[in-house]
Amino acid sequence: MEIINTIGRRKTSVARLYMQSGKGAITVNTKDVKDYFPTEILQAIVNQPFATTKTEGSFDLKVNVDGGGVAGQAEAVRLAIARALCELDPEHRPALKAEGFLTRDPRMVERKKYGRRKARRAFQFSKR
């Protein structure tokens, strides 16, 4: 029984995944996935690769996820799962690629510049 190890990233979140065949137990940072990602939307994001490849409930996952917020973490886990499914069975690749689950989303927060309030927002202009 081999363990597949993959990594997924999104914004500042990093998800390290260990996947093996099992009964569909997903553990994120020692908690159950339903406890760690409480909303239906986030749980759906995590389960999307399994739904696409019709492999729900056939793997046990152990995920360590760090950094960022819950949405970024959920998408990082999704990328890690998609990569693991590809590694396991290259047949899954076209379906996952078509859904865009194998693409690392490159969008990051733009840095704040000096002389401005945020990255692009200027300070309030005062005429006098």
Side-chain angles (χ1 to χ4, degrees):
M1 182 173 73
E2 63 180 317
I3 295 176
I4 293 171
N5 173 235
T6 54
I7 194 164
R9 293 191 180 91
R10 171 75 169 97
K11 291 188 180 180
T12 57
S13 301
V14 180
R16 295 180 315 235
L17 176 109
Y18 303 91
M19 184 167 95
Q20 60 190 12
S21 55
K23 296 181 174 69
I26 303 175
T27 313
V28 183
N29 292 359
T30 68
K31 290 183 179 178
D32 184 64
V33 70
K34 287 181 172 54
D35 297 330
Y36 195 83
F37 295 120
T39 65
E40 288 286 323
I41 294 165
L42 295 174
Q43 288 169 29
I45 287 170
V46 170
N47 287 314
Q48 275 175 326
F50 293 126
T52 305
T53 56
K54 296 175 181 61
T55 52
E56 298 104 321
S58 49
F59 300 104
D60 285 348
L61 307 182
K62 188 174 169 291
V63 188
N64 295 319
V65 65
D66 188 59
V70 283
Q73 287 187 348
E75 291 187 29
V77 171
R78 180 177 74 182
L79 177 60
I81 292 169
R83 284 177 172 173
L85 288 170
C86 274
E87 204 172 304
L88 182 86
D89 185 2
E91 304 269 303
H92 293 321
R93 193 170 171 82
L96 291 167
K97 199 163 170 60
E99 293 290 329
F101 298 151
L102 294 173
T103 309
R104 156 64 160 107
D105 193 334
R107 295 176 296 173
M108 297 288 278
V109 176
E110 193 174 333
R111 83 170 199 89
K112 185 200 173 299
K113 279 75 166 189
Y114 55 85
R116 295 199 163 240
R117 205 170 82 190
K118 289 169 72 181
R120 300 191 179 193
R121 169 80 163 94
F123 292 115
Q124 185 168 334
F125 178 73
S126 170
K127 208 168 199 173
R128 274 171 203 92

